[in-house]
Structure formats: C-alpha cells, structure tokens
Amino acid sequence: MTGRAAVLGALGALLLIAACDQRMIKQDKDIVWGESKLFEDGKVVQAPPPGTVARGELAYEATLGERPAMSAALLARGQERFDIFCSPCHSRLGDGEGMIVQRGMPHPPSFHSQRLREAPDEHFLQVIANGYGAMYSYASRVPPTDRWAIVAYIRALQLSQNVEVAALPADARERLEGAGR
Ligand code: HEC
C-alpha cells in the first residue's frame, strides 16, 4: 500500500512539474527579431544607449574622447587611412562612388549631403567604431587616434566641395580664378 502511495505521489509530482512547464512555455514573451510593445520603436532588439562601454574596454574607450590637435600631419595621416579603409566604398572624394560599390555593394550616402555636412564629428567616430547599417565596424582596424585623423580628413574633403571663394586664401583664389579664365 505504501509502495502504491509513493508511486502515486511521484506521479502527482511529475504531473505538477509538467503543468508548471506548460505555464512557463505559455508565458508572454518577445521573440528576438519580432515586434515588441514594450519599447517605443517597437523593436525587441534594442541598441545600447549612447555612451555604453563594453566590459573591459574602459581604458581603450577613454582615448576616444581625446581629440588630437589639428595639424598638417594629422590630415596627411587621415588622408592615408581614409584612402586605405574608406575609399574602396566611399571613393577618394567621399561621394559614395567607390570601386566596391560599382561591383554591387550597397551605395553609401555622399559625405557632401547637407545632412552629413552638418553631422557632428562624433557621428563619424561612432560610424567608424560601430558600423552603420550595411557598413561594418572598423574598430579593429582603425585605432582611436586614426579615427580622429580620418574625421579631420573627411571635414577637409567636405570643404573641398563646398567653400565660399571669398573664404579662400588670396593665392588659392588667384589660382582658381586663373583656372576659370
Ligand atoms: C565595404 C564598403 C564600405 C567601407 C570600406 C566603408 N563604408 Fe562607410 N558606409 C558604407 C555603406 C554601404 C554605408 C551606408 C549604410 C546604410 O545606410 O545601410 C556607409 C555609411 C557611412 C556613413 C554615413 C552614415 C550616415 O549617417 O548616413 C559614414 C559617415 C561612413 N560610412 C564612414 C565611413 C568611414 C569613415 C570609413 C572608413 C573608416 C568607411 N565608412 C568605410 C560602406 C562602407
């Protein structure tokens, strides 16, 4: 009799566990790539809030905040790094017509759009570090000081396509006006 009671007890416990299991399966939950009612943008997968630093990366990230002084050497370094790492897609002019794009890579936006002219330096640093849409991260290939150099050079590229003639130094203005004649 006691044996039977034990078997029945064990069976009851099993049923109870099974019932619990059922309820856990049926609980409300969001599926990774699905929609979420919890967040305003309706996405389950949320980007880390701005300023989030990965574990163990604090010292490395700290160097990101240190803008190097502007110099011809910084621009030259930026040009060299840009031509190596960015121009294959963005083109050496930054208009987004690079060779890889001509071979089928999605088109990046031109750096000469009003939006990217007005975008702060930090936006470019972020894109280099974390990637953007179809563009992957360059964090492993472009160290923080080179990111600043590249951003300085992108600013120079933007200026090269969008400058008031009156703002040019006299000798450059003469050359330009001479070329127009
Ligand atoms: C393999 C091609 C490729 C390379 C190399 C590349 N990018 Fe991009 N980049 C893209 C594409 C494609 C986009 C557009 C992505 C999208 O909108 O989904 C983009 C977008 C951008 C944007 C625009 C973000 C915005 O606000 O619209 C910036 C800035 C940028 N890239 C900077 C860089 C810099 C700096 C480098 C070099 C360190 C670089 N990219 C290298 C393909 C590339």
Side-chain angles (χ1 to χ4, degrees), residues 98-122:
M99 194 47 81
I100 300 182
V101 174
Q102 293 169 39
R103 301 280 188 278
M105 177 84 192
H107 226 269
S110 168
F111 293 154
H112 308 292
S113 69
Q114 199 55 32
R115 178 176 68 85
L116 286 175
R117 275 185 194 134
E118 286 167 3
D121 293 348
E122 285 68 27

PDB file of all heavy atoms in Angstrom, residues 98-122:
ATOM      1  N   GLY A  98      32.662  54.516 -54.726  1.00  0.00           N
ATOM      2  CA  GLY A  98      33.876  53.703 -54.688  1.00  0.00           C
ATOM      3  C   GLY A  98      33.784  52.452 -55.556  1.00  0.00           C
ATOM      4  O   GLY A  98      32.704  52.069 -56.013  1.00  0.00           O
ATOM      5  N   MET A  99      34.944  51.826 -55.758  1.00  0.00           N
ATOM      6  CA  MET A  99      35.029  50.680 -56.674  1.00  0.00           C
ATOM      7  C   MET A  99      34.150  49.507 -56.213  1.00  0.00           C
ATOM      8  O   MET A  99      33.519  48.846 -57.033  1.00  0.00           O
ATOM      9  CB  MET A  99      36.497  50.249 -56.772  1.00  0.00           C
ATOM     10  CG  MET A  99      36.800  49.314 -57.905  1.00  0.00           C
ATOM     11  SD  MET A  99      36.096  49.854 -59.469  1.00  0.00           S
ATOM     12  CE  MET A  99      37.299  51.080 -59.985  1.00  0.00           C
ATOM     13  N   ILE A 100      34.096  49.252 -54.890  1.00  0.00           N
ATOM     14  CA  ILE A 100      33.301  48.109 -54.413  1.00  0.00           C
ATOM     15  C   ILE A 100      31.817  48.346 -54.683  1.00  0.00           C
ATOM     16  O   ILE A 100      31.069  47.431 -55.002  1.00  0.00           O
ATOM     17  CB  ILE A 100      33.563  47.843 -52.911  1.00  0.00           C
ATOM     18  CG1 ILE A 100      35.046  47.525 -52.712  1.00  0.00           C
ATOM     19  CG2 ILE A 100      32.694  46.705 -52.400  1.00  0.00           C
ATOM     20  CD1 ILE A 100      35.431  47.189 -51.298  1.00  0.00           C
ATOM     21  N   VAL A 101      31.415  49.613 -54.580  1.00  0.00           N
ATOM     22  CA  VAL A 101      30.011  49.966 -54.847  1.00  0.00           C
ATOM     23  C   VAL A 101      29.680  49.684 -56.315  1.00  0.00           C
ATOM     24  O   VAL A 101      28.609  49.174 -56.642  1.00  0.00           O
ATOM     25  CB  VAL A 101      29.762  51.448 -54.493  1.00  0.00           C
ATOM     26  CG1 VAL A 101      28.369  51.879 -54.881  1.00  0.00           C
ATOM     27  CG2 VAL A 101      30.003  51.682 -53.013  1.00  0.00           C
ATOM     28  N   GLN A 102      30.657  49.986 -57.182  1.00  0.00           N
ATOM     29  CA  GLN A 102      30.434  49.725 -58.613  1.00  0.00           C
ATOM     30  C   GLN A 102      30.370  48.231 -58.905  1.00  0.00           C
ATOM     31  O   GLN A 102      29.940  47.807 -59.967  1.00  0.00           O
ATOM     32  CB  GLN A 102      31.539  50.386 -59.441  1.00  0.00           C
ATOM     33  CG  GLN A 102      31.459  51.914 -59.364  1.00  0.00           C
ATOM     34  CD  GLN A 102      32.697  52.579 -59.950  1.00  0.00           C
ATOM     35  OE1 GLN A 102      33.232  52.132 -60.958  1.00  0.00           O
ATOM     36  NE2 GLN A 102      33.149  53.640 -59.301  1.00  0.00           N
ATOM     37  N   ARG A 103      30.819  47.428 -57.916  1.00  0.00           N
ATOM     38  CA  ARG A 103      30.746  45.968 -58.057  1.00  0.00           C
ATOM     39  C   ARG A 103      29.584  45.364 -57.265  1.00  0.00           C
ATOM     40  O   ARG A 103      29.552  44.165 -57.057  1.00  0.00           O
ATOM     41  CB  ARG A 103      32.050  45.318 -57.589  1.00  0.00           C
ATOM     42  CG  ARG A 103      33.292  45.772 -58.329  1.00  0.00           C
ATOM     43  CD  ARG A 103      33.408  45.051 -59.669  1.00  0.00           C
ATOM     44  NE  ARG A 103      34.669  45.326 -60.312  1.00  0.00           N
ATOM     45  CZ  ARG A 103      34.933  46.418 -61.028  1.00  0.00           C
ATOM     46  NH1 ARG A 103      33.991  47.337 -61.186  1.00  0.00           N
ATOM     47  NH2 ARG A 103      36.102  46.590 -61.592  1.00  0.00           N
ATOM     48  N   GLY A 104      28.692  46.192 -56.725  1.00  0.00           N
ATOM     49  CA  GLY A 104      27.478  45.641 -56.127  1.00  0.00           C
ATOM     50  C   GLY A 104      27.238  45.924 -54.651  1.00  0.00           C
ATOM     51  O   GLY A 104      26.186  45.606 -54.132  1.00  0.00           O
ATOM     52  N   MET A 105      28.220  46.508 -53.939  1.00  0.00           N
ATOM     53  CA  MET A 105      27.989  46.863 -52.524  1.00  0.00           C
ATOM     54  C   MET A 105      26.920  47.952 -52.459  1.00  0.00           C
ATOM     55  O   MET A 105      26.888  48.839 -53.314  1.00  0.00           O
ATOM     56  CB  MET A 105      29.313  47.388 -51.934  1.00  0.00           C
ATOM     57  CG  MET A 105      29.252  47.877 -50.490  1.00  0.00           C
ATOM     58  SD  MET A 105      29.416  46.516 -49.329  1.00  0.00           S
ATOM     59  CE  MET A 105      28.958  47.315 -47.786  1.00  0.00           C
ATOM     60  N   PRO A 106      26.006  47.886 -51.434  1.00  0.00           N
ATOM     61  CA  PRO A 106      25.000  48.955 -51.329  1.00  0.00           C
ATOM     62  C   PRO A 106      25.665  50.332 -51.307  1.00  0.00           C
ATOM     63  O   PRO A 106      26.766  50.491 -50.796  1.00  0.00           O
ATOM     64  CB  PRO A 106      24.318  48.679 -49.988  1.00  0.00           C
ATOM     65  CG  PRO A 106      24.581  47.250 -49.697  1.00  0.00           C
ATOM     66  CD  PRO A 106      25.871  46.890 -50.369  1.00  0.00           C
ATOM     67  N   HIS A 107      24.984  51.298 -51.872  1.00  0.00           N
ATOM     68  CA  HIS A 107      25.512  52.643 -52.042  1.00  0.00           C
ATOM     69  C   HIS A 107      25.591  53.403 -50.728  1.00  0.00           C
ATOM     70  O   HIS A 107      24.568  53.616 -50.104  1.00  0.00           O
ATOM     71  CB  HIS A 107      24.541  53.384 -52.975  1.00  0.00           C
ATOM     72  CG  HIS A 107      25.254  54.117 -54.033  1.00  0.00           C
ATOM     73  ND1 HIS A 107      25.632  55.414 -53.866  1.00  0.00           N
ATOM     74  CD2 HIS A 107      25.675  53.742 -55.252  1.00  0.00           C
ATOM     75  CE1 HIS A 107      26.252  55.804 -54.958  1.00  0.00           C
ATOM     76  NE2 HIS A 107      26.296  54.802 -55.818  1.00  0.00           N
ATOM     77  N   PRO A 108      26.768  53.847 -50.297  1.00  0.00           N
ATOM     78  CA  PRO A 108      26.785  54.707 -49.104  1.00  0.00           C
ATOM     79  C   PRO A 108      26.338  56.116 -49.490  1.00  0.00           C
ATOM     80  O   PRO A 108      26.459  56.494 -50.648  1.00  0.00           O
ATOM     81  CB  PRO A 108      28.261  54.735 -48.686  1.00  0.00           C
ATOM     82  CG  PRO A 108      29.027  53.965 -49.699  1.00  0.00           C
ATOM     83  CD  PRO A 108      28.115  53.613 -50.829  1.00  0.00           C
ATOM     84  N   PRO A 109      25.829  56.892 -48.524  1.00  0.00           N
ATOM     85  CA  PRO A 109      25.454  58.273 -48.850  1.00  0.00           C
ATOM     86  C   PRO A 109      26.706  59.101 -49.115  1.00  0.00           C
ATOM     87  O   PRO A 109      27.778  58.783 -48.623  1.00  0.00           O
ATOM     88  CB  PRO A 109      24.742  58.752 -47.587  1.00  0.00           C
ATOM     89  CG  PRO A 109      25.270  57.905 -46.493  1.00  0.00           C
ATOM     90  CD  PRO A 109      25.628  56.588 -47.100  1.00  0.00           C
ATOM     91  N   SER A 110      26.567  60.168 -49.908  1.00  0.00           N
ATOM     92  CA  SER A 110      27.690  61.070 -50.155  1.00  0.00           C
ATOM     93  C   SER A 110      27.981  61.877 -48.886  1.00  0.00           C
ATOM     94  O   SER A 110      27.063  62.274 -48.176  1.00  0.00           O
ATOM     95  CB  SER A 110      27.327  62.015 -51.301  1.00  0.00           C
ATOM     96  OG  SER A 110      28.265  63.060 -51.371  1.00  0.00           O
ATOM     97  N   PHE A 111      29.277  62.101 -48.610  1.00  0.00           N
ATOM     98  CA  PHE A 111      29.637  62.958 -47.471  1.00  0.00           C
ATOM     99  C   PHE A 111      29.323  64.418 -47.772  1.00  0.00           C
ATOM    100  O   PHE A 111      29.445  65.273 -46.915  1.00  0.00           O
ATOM    101  CB  PHE A 111      31.136  62.829 -47.147  1.00  0.00           C
ATOM    102  CG  PHE A 111      31.533  61.481 -46.617  1.00  0.00           C
ATOM    103  CD1 PHE A 111      32.824  61.005 -46.775  1.00  0.00           C
ATOM    104  CD2 PHE A 111      30.622  60.682 -45.940  1.00  0.00           C
ATOM    105  CE1 PHE A 111      33.196  59.760 -46.285  1.00  0.00           C
ATOM    106  CE2 PHE A 111      30.981  59.430 -45.444  1.00  0.00           C
ATOM    107  CZ  PHE A 111      32.270  58.969 -45.619  1.00  0.00           C
ATOM    108  N   HIS A 112      28.925  64.700 -49.015  1.00  0.00           N
ATOM    109  CA  HIS A 112      28.674  66.087 -49.399  1.00  0.00           C
ATOM    110  C   HIS A 112      27.186  66.446 -49.349  1.00  0.00           C
ATOM    111  O   HIS A 112      26.755  67.428 -49.949  1.00  0.00           O
ATOM    112  CB  HIS A 112      29.265  66.355 -50.792  1.00  0.00           C
ATOM    113  CG  HIS A 112      30.709  65.935 -50.871  1.00  0.00           C
ATOM    114  ND1 HIS A 112      31.695  66.600 -50.176  1.00  0.00           N
ATOM    115  CD2 HIS A 112      31.322  64.887 -51.467  1.00  0.00           C
ATOM    116  CE1 HIS A 112      32.867  65.982 -50.377  1.00  0.00           C
ATOM    117  NE2 HIS A 112      32.661  64.949 -51.152  1.00  0.00           N
ATOM    118  N   SER A 113      26.398  65.608 -48.672  1.00  0.00           N
ATOM    119  CA  SER A 113      24.988  65.956 -48.475  1.00  0.00           C
ATOM    120  C   SER A 113      24.908  66.952 -47.320  1.00  0.00           C
ATOM    121  O   SER A 113      25.805  66.993 -46.454  1.00  0.00           O
ATOM    122  CB  SER A 113      24.180  64.705 -48.121  1.00  0.00           C
ATOM    123  OG  SER A 113      24.554  64.252 -46.827  1.00  0.00           O
ATOM    124  N   GLN A 114      23.832  67.737 -47.309  1.00  0.00           N
ATOM    125  CA  GLN A 114      23.648  68.721 -46.250  1.00  0.00           C
ATOM    126  C   GLN A 114      23.658  68.040 -44.882  1.00  0.00           C
ATOM    127  O   GLN A 114      24.280  68.514 -43.935  1.00  0.00           O
ATOM    128  CB  GLN A 114      22.325  69.462 -46.481  1.00  0.00           C
ATOM    129  CG  GLN A 114      22.217  70.799 -45.756  1.00  0.00           C
ATOM    130  CD  GLN A 114      23.370  71.747 -46.074  1.00  0.00           C
ATOM    131  OE1 GLN A 114      23.916  71.746 -47.171  1.00  0.00           O
ATOM    132  NE2 GLN A 114      23.773  72.530 -45.090  1.00  0.00           N
ATOM    133  N   ARG A 115      22.998  66.875 -44.804  1.00  0.00           N
ATOM    134  CA  ARG A 115      22.881  66.185 -43.514  1.00  0.00           C
ATOM    135  C   ARG A 115      24.260  65.814 -42.964  1.00  0.00           C
ATOM    136  O   ARG A 115      24.552  66.039 -41.795  1.00  0.00           O
ATOM    137  CB  ARG A 115      22.039  64.914 -43.676  1.00  0.00           C
ATOM    138  CG  ARG A 115      21.908  64.114 -42.382  1.00  0.00           C
ATOM    139  CD  ARG A 115      20.986  62.924 -42.549  1.00  0.00           C
ATOM    140  NE  ARG A 115      21.505  61.895 -43.429  1.00  0.00           N
ATOM    141  CZ  ARG A 115      22.335  60.928 -43.038  1.00  0.00           C
ATOM    142  NH1 ARG A 115      22.716  60.848 -41.788  1.00  0.00           N
ATOM    143  NH2 ARG A 115      22.775  60.033 -43.901  1.00  0.00           N
ATOM    144  N   LEU A 116      25.134  65.255 -43.818  1.00  0.00           N
ATOM    145  CA  LEU A 116      26.435  64.819 -43.306  1.00  0.00           C
ATOM    146  C   LEU A 116      27.413  65.989 -43.151  1.00  0.00           C
ATOM    147  O   LEU A 116      28.350  65.905 -42.379  1.00  0.00           O
ATOM    148  CB  LEU A 116      27.013  63.704 -44.176  1.00  0.00           C
ATOM    149  CG  LEU A 116      26.296  62.358 -43.946  1.00  0.00           C
ATOM    150  CD1 LEU A 116      26.791  61.293 -44.907  1.00  0.00           C
ATOM    151  CD2 LEU A 116      26.432  61.870 -42.508  1.00  0.00           C
ATOM    152  N   ARG A 117      27.162  67.092 -43.886  1.00  0.00           N
ATOM    153  CA  ARG A 117      27.984  68.281 -43.646  1.00  0.00           C
ATOM    154  C   ARG A 117      27.717  68.802 -42.241  1.00  0.00           C
ATOM    155  O   ARG A 117      28.606  69.291 -41.564  1.00  0.00           O
ATOM    156  CB  ARG A 117      27.629  69.385 -44.647  1.00  0.00           C
ATOM    157  CG  ARG A 117      28.363  69.239 -45.956  1.00  0.00           C
ATOM    158  CD  ARG A 117      28.064  70.413 -46.862  1.00  0.00           C
ATOM    159  NE  ARG A 117      28.479  70.127 -48.211  1.00  0.00           N
ATOM    160  CZ  ARG A 117      27.745  70.356 -49.295  1.00  0.00           C
ATOM    161  NH1 ARG A 117      26.547  70.901 -49.182  1.00  0.00           N
ATOM    162  NH2 ARG A 117      28.205  70.052 -50.481  1.00  0.00           N
ATOM    163  N   GLU A 118      26.448  68.704 -41.847  1.00  0.00           N
ATOM    164  CA  GLU A 118      26.061  69.262 -40.549  1.00  0.00           C
ATOM    165  C   GLU A 118      26.244  68.274 -39.402  1.00  0.00           C
ATOM    166  O   GLU A 118      26.167  68.652 -38.239  1.00  0.00           O
ATOM    167  CB  GLU A 118      24.593  69.728 -40.599  1.00  0.00           C
ATOM    168  CG  GLU A 118      24.435  71.008 -41.393  1.00  0.00           C
ATOM    169  CD  GLU A 118      22.986  71.331 -41.720  1.00  0.00           C
ATOM    170  OE1 GLU A 118      22.084  70.587 -41.271  1.00  0.00           O
ATOM    171  OE2 GLU A 118      22.764  72.324 -42.442  1.00  0.00           O
ATOM    172  N   ALA A 119      26.477  66.994 -39.726  1.00  0.00           N
ATOM    173  CA  ALA A 119      26.607  65.979 -38.659  1.00  0.00           C
ATOM    174  C   ALA A 119      27.853  66.269 -37.818  1.00  0.00           C
ATOM    175  O   ALA A 119      28.878  66.669 -38.355  1.00  0.00           O
ATOM    176  CB  ALA A 119      26.708  64.594 -39.287  1.00  0.00           C
ATOM    177  N   PRO A 120      27.750  66.092 -36.493  1.00  0.00           N
ATOM    178  CA  PRO A 120      28.918  66.371 -35.645  1.00  0.00           C
ATOM    179  C   PRO A 120      30.021  65.326 -35.850  1.00  0.00           C
ATOM    180  O   PRO A 120      29.748  64.216 -36.313  1.00  0.00           O
ATOM    181  CB  PRO A 120      28.348  66.268 -34.220  1.00  0.00           C
ATOM    182  CG  PRO A 120      27.144  65.405 -34.345  1.00  0.00           C
ATOM    183  CD  PRO A 120      26.601  65.617 -35.742  1.00  0.00           C
ATOM    184  N   ASP A 121      31.253  65.692 -35.492  1.00  0.00           N
ATOM    185  CA  ASP A 121      32.388  64.765 -35.612  1.00  0.00           C
ATOM    186  C   ASP A 121      32.081  63.429 -34.930  1.00  0.00           C
ATOM    187  O   ASP A 121      32.473  62.369 -35.412  1.00  0.00           O
ATOM    188  CB  ASP A 121      33.639  65.367 -34.945  1.00  0.00           C
ATOM    189  CG  ASP A 121      34.144  66.592 -35.698  1.00  0.00           C
ATOM    190  OD1 ASP A 121      33.682  66.835 -36.833  1.00  0.00           O
ATOM    191  OD2 ASP A 121      35.010  67.301 -35.146  1.00  0.00           O
ATOM    192  N   GLU A 122      31.377  63.512 -33.801  1.00  0.00           N
ATOM    193  CA  GLU A 122      31.098  62.293 -33.023  1.00  0.00           C
ATOM    194  C   GLU A 122      30.315  61.273 -33.844  1.00  0.00           C
ATOM    195  O   GLU A 122      30.452  60.076 -33.645  1.00  0.00           O
ATOM    196  CB  GLU A 122      30.312  62.637 -31.740  1.00  0.00           C
ATOM    197  CG  GLU A 122      31.141  63.284 -30.641  1.00  0.00           C
ATOM    198  CD  GLU A 122      31.619  64.696 -31.008  1.00  0.00           C
ATOM    199  OE1 GLU A 122      30.945  65.367 -31.826  1.00  0.00           O
ATOM    200  OE2 GLU A 122      32.666  65.123 -30.475  1.00  0.00           O
TER     201      GLU A 122
END
